[in-house]
Amino acid sequence: MIILFALNAILAAGGVFSAILAALRPSALVTKGAESVGVRFYAQMYAAKAVPLCLLTAVIPFLATGVVPGLCLFGAALSQAMDAAIGLGQRNLRQIVGSTVAAVVHALVGILIW
């Protein structure tokens, strides 16, 4: 179980890294029109939401169990599933695979701590 918790934390840390990278340098993750003001604005908005959620997702399994922590992990899993769906629409295999793996792990950990 601790291995799954650690994997969950690693995947959440990857989400933090990706969100910060996108906010600072959108062209690292998006190639078309990444340096426009709108893309940078939305990348920063995404990071403002993703960083706290990913940090919570990383630490909560080590601190608490029950319904509320489980729901937090399910929320993170849903967020990753939506990121995978967006990647599918963009035909971005890296985003599809990474987000799908993160969604599955977050959901499994959510079940375990519920």
Side-chain angles (χ1 to χ4, degrees), residues 3 21 28 51 74 80 90 97 106:
I3 293 171
L21 180 62
V51 169
F74 290 137
Q80 288 293 344
Q90 297 295 317
V97 172
H106 295 336

Side-chain angles (χ1 to χ4, degrees), residues 23-94:
L24 296 176
R25 192 167 165 238
S27 62
L29 299 177
V30 179
T31 55
K32 295 181 235 169
E35 294 307 320
S36 73
V37 174
V39 171
R40 183 170 297 281
F41 173 74
Y42 282 104
Q44 291 170 349
M45 283 183 37
Y46 175 80
K49 293 172 182 73
V51 169
L53 178 61
C54 288
L55 292 174
L56 179 66
T57 301
V59 300
I60 204 162
F62 297 105
L63 302 176
T65 60
V67 174
V68 173
L71 288 174
C72 289
L73 270 288
F74 290 137
L78 179 61
S79 175
Q80 288 293 344
M82 298 312 298
D83 282 350
I86 292 167
L88 189 61
Q90 297 295 317
R91 295 187 176 137
N92 183 337
L93 186 60
R94 183 176 59 182

